């Protein structure tokens, strides 16, 4: 029997890592938030200097969208703020892992537009909570269950199951029901049929079925999952975003439901609704440009890439 030293090292390393993560979380809880954010602001600026690959991705993407209106110096300053913002999010996330109730989160989060979510929820058809990786998106996802609404989320497992369990467990303690990726569509339909809020994000380049629509002024491959669910269930789509404010409080902003385009032409309707969703997210990002994850390769997939993928898929079916 061959012993895999790599597996042995991993088996030792990850339990130790999780132990120190838990210990860190416990210790940070007792440190004043102002101090934690001050340290994390410094760490974010340091990461911008040291993590060259992600820094360059961020600068490249910002230049793609804002290059004609901003100088290289301004783009670099924006990129640095993106890193700082993510570091601040991490600090807040870790320090509030023991928060469970709405009153807990009210210490750092204000809510605007809850009447929009409440009215949609009370229709009993479920609610598609259209979110994005803007602001503190982890807070965005957990706010509906914290506010008292039955909520389900689709998530991609982390590479390490112990760390994944830690993160998913924190969500579940706040009332979030979790569905893993992989033939999940019937379970998503079921959750909506029960009247749940369903957390869904369509602002990243994924391998899920999608279409090319305008995103921040450039065509980007965008998942059609939200549009497909809306057409199949007639559940209202309610955009909601988390915004970090200048005083470091967060604002959870809930917008009115979006009108569903349902002409009976499936291909057209998937495209048009996805285009609308991408437009709403784009406008929000433009309003708060340094609060989105610009290090993500949003425009990585090209129409040529996707065409090659479809042709390869077609050949495999033969």
């Amino acid at each position: 029997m061959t012993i895999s030293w790599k597996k042995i090292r991993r088996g030792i390393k990850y339990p130790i890592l999780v132990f120190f993560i838990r210990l860190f979380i416990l210790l940070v809880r007792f440190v004043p938030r102002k101090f934690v954010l001050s340290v994390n602001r410094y760490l974010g600026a340091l990461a911008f200097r040291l993590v060259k690959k992600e820094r360059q991705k961020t600068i490249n993407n910002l230049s793609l969208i804002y290059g004609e209106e901003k100088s290289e110096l301004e783009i670099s300053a924006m990129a640095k703020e993106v890193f700082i913002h993510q570091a601040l999010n991490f600090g807040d996330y870790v320090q509030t892992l023991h928060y469970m109730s709405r009153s807990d989160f009210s210490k750092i989060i204000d809510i605007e537009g809850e009447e929009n979510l409440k009215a949609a929820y009370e229709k009993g058809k479920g609610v598609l909570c259209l979110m994005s990786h803007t602001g503190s998106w982890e807070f965005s996802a957990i706010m509906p269950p914290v506010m008292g609404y039955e909520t389900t989320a689709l998530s991609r497992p982390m590479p390490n199951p112990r760390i994944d369990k830690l993160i998913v467990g924190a969500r579940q303690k706040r009332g979030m029901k979790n569905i893993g990726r992989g033939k999940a569509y019937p379970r998503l339909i079921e959750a909506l049929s029960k009247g749940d809020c369903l957390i869904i994000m369509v602002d990243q380049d994924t391998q899920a079925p999608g279409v090319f629509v305008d995103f921040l002024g450039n065509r980007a491959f965008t998942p059609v999952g939200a549009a497909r669910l809306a057409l199949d269930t007639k559940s209202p789509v309610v955009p909601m975003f988390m915004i970090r404010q200048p005083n470091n409080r967060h604002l959870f902003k809930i917008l009115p439901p979006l009108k569903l385009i349902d002409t009976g032409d499936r291909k057209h309707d998937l495209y048009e609704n996805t285009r609308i969703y991408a437009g709403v997210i784009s406008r929000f990002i433009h309003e708060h440009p340094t609060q989105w994850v610009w290090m993500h390769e949003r425009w990585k997939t090209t129409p040529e890439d996707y065409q090659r993928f479809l042709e390869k898929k077609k050949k495999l079916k033969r």
Side-chain angles (χ1 to χ4, degrees):
M1 182 177 177
T2 304
I3 298 174
S4 172
W5 290 109
K6 187 176 180 180
K7 287 185 178 180
I8 292 173
R9 287 197 302 271
R10 191 181 297 159
I12 296 171
K13 180 176 70 175
Y14 281 118
I16 293 173
L17 178 62
V18 172
F19 169 78
F20 279 108
I21 289 173
R22 290 185 182 277
L23 180 62
F24 174 71
I25 290 169
L26 181 63
L27 294 175
V28 168
R29 184 186 305 182
F30 300 102
V31 179
R33 179 174 181 247
K34 188 174 181 179
F35 178 76
V36 171
L37 294 184
S38 178
V39 170
N40 277 55
R41 174 172 285 278
Y42 169 78
L43 292 176
L46 182 63
F48 175 73
R49 291 176 58 193
L50 298 179
V51 188
K52 295 181 180 179
K53 186 177 180 180
E54 301 306 310
R55 179 182 69 212
Q56 195 57 52
K57 285 181 188 176
T58 303
I59 289 173
N60 289 346
N61 285 332
L62 283 166
S63 298
L64 176 68
I65 305 306
Y66 296 109
E68 292 186 3
E69 60 185 86
K70 295 185 182 294
S71 67
E72 289 185 10
L73 193 62
E74 288 173 315
I75 293 290
S76 181
M78 289 177 71
K80 183 178 178 180
E81 282 302 314
V82 170
F83 274 72
I84 290 172
H85 175 75
Q86 299 307 324
L88 294 176
N89 285 345
F90 178 73
D92 270 338
Y93 173 75
V94 171
Q95 201 182 43
T96 60
L97 276 171
H98 64 291
Y99 283 14
M100 295 295 153
S101 67
R102 183 169 180 154
S103 60
D104 285 336
F105 281 98
S106 68
K107 297 171 187 175
I108 63 169
I109 297 176
D110 300 310
I111 301 169
E112 178 183 306
E114 184 179 356
E115 66 277 5
N116 296 317
L117 175 57
K118 188 173 186 293
Y121 186 80
E122 288 177 349
K123 291 181 178 180
K125 294 182 178 181
V127 179
L128 283 159
C129 299
L130 183 68
M131 298 183 179
S132 62
H133 294 83
T134 46
S136 176
W137 68 85
E138 188 67 30
F139 283 169
S140 299
I142 61 172
M143 280 312 293
V146 165
M147 292 162 66
Y149 302 92
E150 291 291 323
T151 306
T152 298
L154 176 68
S155 66
R156 180 183 300 161
M158 298 284 288
N160 181 262
R162 290 184 178 88
I163 295 176
D164 183 66
K165 185 178 179 181
L166 185 68
I167 293 172
V168 172
R171 294 171 182 166
Q172 291 174 333
K173 286 177 183 177
R174 280 111 169 219
M176 175 80 76
K177 289 172 275 186
N178 187 70
I179 295 176
R181 291 183 181 273
K183 297 182 179 179
Y185 196 75
R187 296 177 65 190
L188 301 180
I189 294 287
E190 182 183 2
L192 289 169
S193 69
K194 291 178 179 178
D196 281 16
C197 289
L198 180 62
I199 307 301
I200 193 158
M201 299 188 183
V202 297
D203 64 323
Q204 294 199 333
D205 187 314
T206 72
Q207 295 182 344
V211 292
F212 287 91
V213 297
D214 184 283
F215 188 81
L216 294 170
N218 279 268
R219 280 163 57 80
F221 189 68
T222 305
V224 296
R228 182 184 173 195
L229 285 165
L231 288 166
D232 288 346
T233 65
K234 302 303 183 286
S235 301
V237 178
V238 180
M240 49 192 78
F241 304 96
M242 191 69 72
I243 310 163
R244 181 178 292 276
Q245 301 177 95
N247 62 358
N248 275 320
R249 285 188 65 82
H250 300 269
L251 175 64
F252 188 45
K253 191 170 184 177
I254 306 170
L255 305 181
L258 300 173
K259 182 180 179 181
L260 179 66
I261 305 299
D262 187 8
T263 66
D265 183 335
R266 183 76 170 184
K267 185 176 180 180
H268 169 271
D269 294 344
L270 285 172
Y271 178 87
E272 285 300 317
N273 285 296
T274 302
R275 182 184 63 79
I276 290 169
Y277 304 159
V280 171
I281 294 170
S282 293
R283 285 191 292 275
F284 182 81
I285 294 172
H286 276 313
E287 291 172 7
H288 310 277
T290 60
Q291 296 196 25
W292 188 60
V293 286
W294 289 92
M295 56 280 293
H296 170 67
E297 293 182 299
R298 182 67 183 92
W299 295 273
K300 181 180 180 180
T301 300
T302 65
E304 292 76 21
D305 291 333
Y306 189 57
Q307 187 58 41
R308 283 193 291 269
F309 167 76
L310 292 178
E311 288 172 1
K312 185 178 179 180
K313 191 175 180 181
K314 191 182 294 183
K315 288 179 181 178
L316 291 173
K317 286 183 177 180
R318 289 174 183 171

